[in-house]
Amino acid sequence: MRTLSYAQAIREAHAQLLASDARVFVIGQGLWSPWYAGSSLEDLDQEFSCARMVDTPVSESAASGLALGAALAGMRPIVFHPRMDFMLLALDPIVNQAANWSYMFAGQVSAPLVVRAVVNRGGEQGAQHSQAVHAMFMHVPGLKVVMPSTPYDAKGLLIAAIEDPNPVLYIDDRWLYGATGPVPEAMYQVPIGRAALRRKGSDVTLVGISFMAAEAVKAAETLAGEGIDAEVIDLRSLKPWDQEMVIESAQKTGRAVVADPGWRTAGASAEIAAEISAQAFRELRAPVERVTLPDAPAPTSRTEERAYYPGAADIAEAARRTLKRPASKEAAA
Amino acid sequence: MRTLSYAQAIREAHAQLLASDARVFVIGQGLWSPWYAGSSLEDLDQEFSCARMVDTPVSESAASGLALGAALAGMRPIVFHPRMDFMLLALDPIVNQAANWSYMFAGQVSAPLVVRAVVNRGGEQGAQHSQAVHAMFMHVPGLKVVMPSTPYDAKGLLIAAIEDPNPVLYIDDRWLYGATGPVPEAMYQVPIGRAALRRKGSDVTLVGISFMAAEAVKAAETLAGEGIDAEVIDLRSLKPWDQEMVIESAQKTGRAVVADPGWRTAGASAEIAAEISAQAFRELRAPVERVTLPDAPAPTSRTEERAYYPGAADIAEAARRTLKRPASKEAAA
Amino acid sequence: MIHETYSTNWLLARWETMTRIRRAEEAIAQMVERGEARCPCHLAIGQEAVAAGVCAALTRRDSVWGGHRSHGHYLAKGGSLEGLFAEILGKETGCSGGRGGSMHLAAPEVGILGTVPIVAATVPLAAGAAFAYRMRGEDRVAVSFFGDGALEEGALHETMNAAALYRLPVIFICENNLYSSHLHWSERRVADNLDKAGEFHSIPGDRVDGNDVVAVYEAALAAAGRARAGEGPSLIECRTFRWRGHVGASYDLDVGVKRRGELSQWIERDPIARVQAALSRRFVRGMDERRAEIDREIQGALEAARRAPSPPPGRVLEHVWQEAACAR
Amino acid sequence: MIHETYSTNWLLARWETMTRIRRAEEAIAQMVERGEARCPCHLAIGQEAVAAGVCAALTRRDSVWGGHRSHGHYLAKGGSLEGLFAEILGKETGCSGGRGGSMHLAAPEVGILGTVPIVAATVPLAAGAAFAYRMRGEDRVAVSFFGDGALEEGALHETMNAAALYRLPVIFICENNLYSSHLHWSERRVADNLDKAGEFHSIPGDRVDGNDVVAVYEAALAAAGRARAGEGPSLIECRTFRWRGHVGASYDLDVGVKRRGELSQWIERDPIARVQAALSRRFVRGMDERRAEIDREIQGALEAARRAPSPPPGRVLEHVWQEAACAR
Ligand SMILES: Cc1ncc(C[n+]2csc(CCOP(=O)(O)OP(=O)(O)O)c2C)c(N)n1
Ligand SMILES: Cc1ncc(C[n+]2csc(CCOP(=O)(O)OP(=O)(O)O)c2C)c(N)n1
Ligand SMILES: [Mg+2]
Ligand SMILES: [Mg+2]
């Protein structure tokens, strides 16, 4: 199979959707510029015209509302927010309106809106350009939330999001744009709500979200070298999330680490840890560990950024704790 | 001690703060009208002038930003949102700005802003006038979040919120406005971050938030009649929350029910259940139970509202489950 | 005033629409007073000419979008009376399946994809529907009804910029009833110039007597013409007044809103009485029977709504998500 | 053009401020090119007259509020060079303690309570500070600097309404550099009339040549006068141009933004050269030494910033919450 980068896979999904479905268009801030979407939307304006790749004024709320209105009127828009932080200016159309529309009118009107938000962290950008607030949206009934970590899922989940009759929040992470992997050329869907088993294992379950799913895979390799056989689940969908796969795995291994690129308190990791703790109550042999951002805004300086962002080493360390293995030397240092 | 209603206690806190601190003012939509704040702000405009009780145009974002700017410039504003749903239009000033301000400038500038949001549910108002989305804000570093359930705490927490140098989200619930209780006449603070033990017990810990804390007290009475001795903790503060009291209690009783007036998935109850499960891992004798709203927007019709909102009976039932007691007859019916 | 060029039939049709709205809302007021309607109801009694005049300029395929005070929009566009009453009573047969109450009305079959009570929320949605029409090359117009208060929400200004930029076939109808809940306009802004709200975006603005159904109709027709001709959005400020209070059946005088003087002046400018006067000048007969017929229609719809079942509690989780998109 | 009524000293002071900004930003551009500065830097080279002209009309106790492109505002208001460089290098001695980088600058001692990069975010904050001044009866003015793009955000329009309604001592300075990142104004709106942005709220609007420091100063002084006299807000559109790209050191020509022709025209209208020409017409000498002096100052600040320590990683959780409010 071909290999594509994560950004290329997102671009291809857009291109194929635009080519195959006249109802699809993209609207939002930064579509025509390399600053905002990286290569994930490159030249789509030239390929499909600026009329279907609508780069808007700096008006997050109206752009999102416009997209929702078009969706209610039968289109399949993707509204683009180059940083999740900016999307917070559009909470009314997303949370009050899109999420509730089907329910409020007892299913008479569909809101097939895709909201795409990019997590764009690090690079000394600081508190207002780095936020990963997926947990806020995971909380909202009526929304679906997906966070792919591989090129394959990046393409398949975007297509699934467009096909879904409900509002879907699609969150990609710039830190994954360069990651490569096999991606079929044809259009395909990755089912929303199903996790992916990235590695079978028997000692501990690592549940990863988005970038942290990729880190969990790395952590599992490290752990394998120490004789720890980790099972790795990439959640892919946050709402609904694949309780079945996660719970079964935790019941099997008796240990779990949840790795989330968001903040800790009341984050996605809390939901997953709470459910594992309840549903695998008998089988768990250690408390569920959560590896998350600390409860602090993003700093800017490189030294503080390094201290701030967790990664594979932290996941491995948490896995060792569930197994009561001694901390690794680096971690101890 | 005097007895006041919850609404009167809120009003008294406002009045005393306005009288004693020239930096305090209230700004927001609906201050001069009985429709929005119930009696919780009654006649304060006449007592303290419309210049300090600023009823604004319908501009949630600007009103919140104005309040924040005034706070940065040394005032102690309370920005009022008569429904939490409307506050979603002001997420930028609250989440991107107020919450981050201290951190972004390394503590050089304080943002002593109180954001007051009213949860105003039921009454067939439906999906956009009923939301209790405190969990979204509990997730945000830099904010504090309090949710009083008694008149005493309603007064003491508002005063504490004003005294706090950080942005504090103060959430009150219209369903509690008529509740009465003892309230000292003098000004006093209820410390932010400390829960209240409402009932000592040994069989199961009921952790309640806001309206559901009041329901938990009722549930404990019912349970007492069945020989179940429940300990009831009113969380009062969501961020930071009193892990010490909650965890110690859960360790003691070995059983816990978290009762939250918000939605289930990724809600406040998830955080509390996850922490109890992890920190009382050895002591827990049953999975932590969560009593929450279902993952659905608020309906309107009375029949559906009744099915939608949980209460004391649901808490009692959850407690019985932790003790493997048979379900009560009504619940089974 | 009532222009002579309009046929008697045309005037009668407007009179009928306005009277149906008036009588339906008076029935709702009674339901509120009796405690039979429990959801918050915002009545537009006194403002009927705006809904009736605008919708007369539209086709069934055009869409209208409203807010918390939208009974009139819903009825003028052709929504069913029984669906409205049933919705307000929280019945399964309501136009929103009993999920919305007075503040959330839908009638997709006549171009109402939803009215919701977050102030200004449907304004960008209307523009988005217009965006869809323009993209698909359809000859359709979207109308956004909103109040004077809605112009205080930033999203409305963002939307006007977008509508002008994309030359959207959208009409912004500002129903300026001088109040936003308890606050008079002068407590909320410095200038009485809402017709100029779109000027910054070169959106033509018109100010009309919102109690003159012909004036409203003509302005809306001109705006619809521009929209259909690809000339983009228009804004119409319709000056009017709600007789009843902000919410519920009372007249606001009970809650300290000082508008007694204004109220009596505006009641004299009753939009229905004005059309009726024109009709009587033309010696049109049978107005009493016509009114009685409307009342029978209302009574019938109300009784049907009362008989309808409430939604069964067991289905409260339905429609959070859809399995398949509704055909549109 | 440069008015004859201004003293040589006055003109020299403006020249010095603008030159300090220019040279500091050129140094920052080099730091970006070398990879020494890693945070996103938005340079205002070419726009110096706006910051310098406005701040000349203010006192130390007045506050200014900015956004992502605020090096000039910070320096013109009196922020320290070393604090700026250290911040951009992510050092503990930075004006924001190394927590903000170029996009988050603070200098409370000279009235900068924070600049942040969410477009339009500080506009309501500036109005809020003005609200505080008015409430306390202080003779202070708040200035809100924002770009042409910021007028597309609804919050800005909400804020203008509030500022007009409460007659706040706030000045809205729109630095119209014709672009919002890669988009020319004509791709974002239909009319070139940003000076009219406040008209709907009766806010007086002025359009000035933003590359003429005297014109900017005079407009700002008039606006500050109105604010201090209790006459409320003003808006000034300063037409200018950024020479460099939206972000970073390059000229944008690399990323397909077609503005080569415009750029060379605007470089000819260099605001610093214009003052310098006026000074040379007055036979002011020693300009080279003055420039060398500024460069030495910059070099010294830069070296001090380089020597300063990075924040220790162990303190990354500090200042999420404060124990006690900062004195203000
Ligand atoms: C975002 C938001 N803020 C506040 C409210 C509360 N509210 C409901 S109706 C209303 C007044 C609206 O006034 P206007 O737009 O003039 O419409 P009218 O009621 O006069 O028809 C307000 C403030 C709301 N529903 N939504
Ligand atoms: C709310 C928000 N949306 C989008 C962005 C991305 N962004 C950063 S700067 C900018 C352009 C702003 O243009 P303008 O206001 O004209 O200022 P200029 O860059 O020209 O100085 C944009 C869109 C942002 N920072 N914040
Ligand atoms: Mg009104
Ligand atoms: Mg610009």
Side-chain angles (χ1 to χ4, degrees), chain C:
Chain C
M1 276 314 284
I2 307 300
H3 299 229
E4 299 308 319
T5 50
Y6 287 86
S7 72
T8 297
N9 275 347
W10 191 94
L11 290 174
L12 268 174
R14 302 296 81 74
W15 175 88
E16 195 185 304
T17 301
M18 291 194 288
T19 303
R20 186 181 291 107
I21 297 172
R22 171 77 52 92
R23 301 296 287 162
E25 287 208 308
E26 284 172 349
I28 294 168
Q30 286 173 12
M31 288 153 71
V32 169
E33 275 164 351
R34 276 197 301 271
E36 187 184 0
R38 292 172 302 262
C39 64
C41 292
H42 301 77
L43 305 177
I45 292 174
Q47 304 186 187
E48 296 87 350
V50 181
V54 169
C55 291
L58 303 178
T59 76
R60 192 185 185 87
R61 281 168 53 75
D62 298 329
S63 59
V64 311
W65 303 76
H68 56 289
R69 194 181 306 284
S70 278
H71 302 156
H73 311 142
Y74 167 95
L75 290 175
K77 193 67 178 42
S80 100
L81 268 173
E82 185 185 333
L84 175 64
F85 290 135
E87 191 53 46
I88 287 173
L89 291 174
K91 298 301 182 73
E92 215 181 343
T93 55
C95 62
S96 306
R99 274 288 170 68
S102 158
M103 303 198 295
H104 311 79
L105 305 175
E109 66 287 358
V110 294
I112 301 179
L113 299 179
T115 71
V116 298
I118 294 287
V119 168
T122 59
V123 183
L125 307 190
F131 198 92
Y133 304 156
R134 208 211 49 176
M135 259 195 144
R136 295 193 297 243
E138 295 171 351
D139 178 26
R140 293 166 83 176
V141 169
V143 170
S144 173
F145 286 103
F146 52 85
D148 46 308
L151 276 163
E152 292 149 18
E153 289 288 4
L156 207 156
H157 294 267
E158 295 182 6
T159 302
M160 288 195 294
N161 184 33
L165 182 63
Y166 306 130
R167 296 180 85 77
L168 299 181
V170 61
I171 309 176
F172 300 109
I173 304 286
C174 177
E175 295 192 66
N176 185 359
N177 60 10
L178 313 185
Y179 283 83
S180 168
S181 54
H182 53 301
L183 297 182
H184 187 252
W185 72 263
S186 60
E187 295 171 294
R188 298 176 283 119
R189 49 184 291 105
V190 295
D192 180 10
N193 61 349
L194 299 189
D195 56 324
K196 301 283 195 292
E199 208 166 68
F200 183 47
H201 309 292
S202 310
I203 296 178
D206 214 342
R207 168 176 284 185
V208 302
D209 178 349
N211 283 18
D212 177 349
V213 71
V214 170
V216 171
Y217 168 73
E218 292 187 344
L221 196 68
R226 277 194 295 277
R228 293 189 210 284
E231 290 165 24
S234 309
L235 182 144
I236 306 170
E237 178 200 8
C238 303
R239 293 178 77 88
T240 183
F241 202 76
R242 57 167 164 75
W243 296 1
R244 303 292 178 118
H246 168 61
V247 62
S250 82
Y251 284 80
D252 265 13
L253 306 171
D254 50 325
V255 290
V257 180
K258 293 177 200 64
R259 40 177 231 136
R260 192 184 300 274
E262 275 174 310
L263 177 57
S264 55
Q265 278 170 30
W266 279 95
I267 287 179
E268 278 169 30
R269 305 181 57 200
D270 181 358
I272 300 179
R274 286 157 86 175
V275 177
Q276 204 157 319
L279 289 168
S280 84
R281 280 195 300 275
R282 294 187 188 186
F283 304 107
V284 177
R285 294 157 173 262
M287 295 306 286
D288 288 347
E289 293 96 277
R290 286 178 214 273
R291 191 176 303 98
E293 174 60 36
I294 290 172
D295 281 346
R296 274 193 297 278
E297 192 195 346
I298 286 171
Q299 213 43 46
L302 194 49
E303 274 155 28
R306 286 191 178 120
R307 283 191 304 270
S310 296
R315 275 162 35 194
V316 70
L317 299 185
E318 275 180 23
H319 306 302
V320 175
W321 279 320
Q322 310 199 335
E323 291 305 313
C326 306
R328 172 109 312 108

Side-chain angles (χ1 to χ4, degrees), chain B residues 96-137:
Chain B
N96 280 334
Q97 312 308 331
N100 287 330
W101 212 267
S102 168
Y103 192 84
M104 293 188 298
F105 304 108
Q108 292 178 86
V109 189
S110 309
L113 174 68
V114 176
V115 181
R116 177 177 168 212
V118 182
V119 174
N120 188 346
R121 297 176 290 168
E124 305 202 350
Q125 300 180 96
Q128 300 186 336
H129 277 57
S130 309
Q131 292 171 86
V133 291
H134 43 282
M136 286 188 170
F137 299 91

Side-chain angles (χ1 to χ4, degrees), chain D residues 15-255:
Chain D
W15 175 88
E16 196 184 302
T17 301
M18 291 195 285
T19 304
R20 185 181 292 106
I21 296 171
R22 171 76 54 90
R23 301 297 286 164
E25 288 209 307
E26 286 172 347
I28 293 166
Q30 285 172 13
M31 288 153 70
V32 169
E33 275 164 351
R34 275 197 303 270
E36 189 183 0
R38 291 174 302 262
C39 64
C41 293
H42 300 77
L43 304 177
I45 291 174
Q47 305 185 188
E48 296 88 349
V50 180
V54 170
C55 292
L58 303 178
T59 76
R60 191 185 186 87
R61 280 169 52 76
D62 298 328
S63 60
V64 310
W65 303 77
H68 56 289
R69 196 181 305 286
S70 277
H71 302 155
H73 311 143
Y74 167 95
L75 290 175
K77 192 67 176 43
S80 102
L81 267 173
E82 186 184 332
L84 175 63
F85 290 135
E87 191 52 46
I88 286 173
L89 292 174
K91 298 301 183 71
E92 215 180 343
T93 54
C95 61
S96 305
R99 274 287 170 70
S102 158
M103 304 198 296
H104 312 79
L105 304 174
E109 67 287 359
V110 294
I112 301 180
L113 299 180
T115 72
V116 297
I118 295 287
V119 168
T122 59
V123 182
L125 307 190
F131 197 93
Y133 304 156
R134 207 212 50 177
M135 260 196 143
R136 294 192 298 242
E138 294 171 351
D139 178 26
R140 291 165 84 175
V141 170
V143 170
S144 172
F145 286 104
F146 54 83
D148 45 311
L151 276 164
E152 293 149 18
E153 291 287 4
L156 207 155
H157 295 266
E158 295 183 5
T159 302
M160 288 194 296
N161 184 33
L165 182 63
Y166 305 129
R167 297 181 85 78
L168 299 180
V170 60
I171 309 176
F172 299 109
I173 304 287
C174 176
E175 297 193 65
N176 184 359
N177 60 13
L178 313 185
Y179 282 83
S180 168
S181 54
H182 54 300
L183 298 182
H184 187 253
W185 72 262
S186 60
E187 297 170 294
R188 297 176 284 117
R189 50 185 287 107
V190 295
D192 181 11
N193 61 348
L194 299 189
D195 55 324
K196 302 283 195 290
E199 209 166 67
F200 183 48
H201 308 291
S202 310
I203 296 178
D206 215 342
R207 169 176 282 185
V208 302
D209 177 349
N211 283 18
D212 177 348
V213 71
V214 170
V216 171
Y217 168 74
E218 291 186 344
L221 197 67
R226 279 194 294 277
R228 292 188 211 284
E231 291 166 23
S234 308
L235 181 142
I236 307 170
E237 179 200 8
C238 303
R239 293 178 76 88
T240 183
F241 203 76
R242 59 168 161 73
W243 296 3
R244 302 292 178 117
H246 168 61
V247 61
S250 83
Y251 284 80
D252 264 11
L253 306 172
D254 50 325
V255 290

Side-chain angles (χ1 to χ4, degrees), chain A residues 28-53:
Chain A
Q29 191 256 315
L31 304 195
W32 305 338
S33 150
W35 292 310
Y36 292 104
S39 56
S40 75
L41 297 176
E42 206 171 349
D43 293 336
L44 289 175
D45 48 341
Q46 276 150 55
E47 205 170 323
F48 295 95
S49 88
C50 290
R52 295 182 70 199
M53 292 292 297

